[in-house]
């Protein structure tokens, strides 16, 4: 009986500390992934988010402006609290 419990604990520990589980826990949301997800929900296409930079010149304390580069397009995204993002496709 003791050997069975020890084997079970060892199996559980192996699953909990496997590299796949740690990789899933470490994956953090970045501004580019958050912005890409938001504009997708608003009907814009962003196949793969390549980067996002904050436009400090256009941003205000309660309104953040970002330039989001996707593999298929570039967008200017203006975000304000409790509102949908304003999305402008850039050339």
């Amino acid at each position: 009986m003791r050997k069975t419990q020890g084997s079970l604990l060892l199996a559980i520990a192996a699953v909990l500390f496997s590299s796949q589980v740690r990789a899933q826990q470490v994956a953090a949301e970045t501004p580019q992934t958050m912005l890409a997800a938001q504009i997708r929900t608003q009907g814009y296409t962003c196949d793969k988010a390549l980067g996002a930079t904050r436009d400090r010149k256009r941003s205000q304390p309660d309104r953040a402006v970002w330039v989001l580069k996707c593999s298929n397009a570039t967008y200017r995204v203006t975000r304000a609290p409790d509102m949908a993002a304003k999305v402008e496709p850039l050339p």
Side-chain angles (χ1 to χ4, degrees):
M1 181 96 169
R2 280 244 187 236
K3 190 171 185 170
T4 305
Q5 286 179 342
S7 298
L8 182 60
L9 288 175
L10 184 61
I12 291 172
V15 169
L16 289 176
F17 295 108
S18 71
S19 61
Q20 286 181 333
V21 171
R22 274 190 260 144
Q24 289 174 355
Q25 292 172 348
V26 172
E29 245 184 330
T30 61
Q32 67 191 31
T33 58
M34 288 187 335
L35 291 168
Q38 184 169 10
I39 69 167
R40 284 185 196 115
T41 63
Q42 291 182 223
Y44 294 89
T45 57
C46 181
D47 295 334
K48 182 178 179 187
L50 302 176
T53 55
R54 181 111 185 240
D55 188 341
R56 297 197 186 278
K57 195 173 189 181
R58 288 190 166 96
S59 293
Q60 298 173 359
D62 63 340
R63 196 169 308 248
V65 180
W66 294 84
V67 175
L68 174 65
K69 292 185 182 184
C70 300
S71 59
N72 60 320
T74 302
Y75 301 99
R76 180 177 295 123
V77 182
T78 304
R79 298 181 72 201
D82 300 323
M83 295 180 68
K86 178 181 174 188
V87 183
E88 303 170 63
L90 298 176

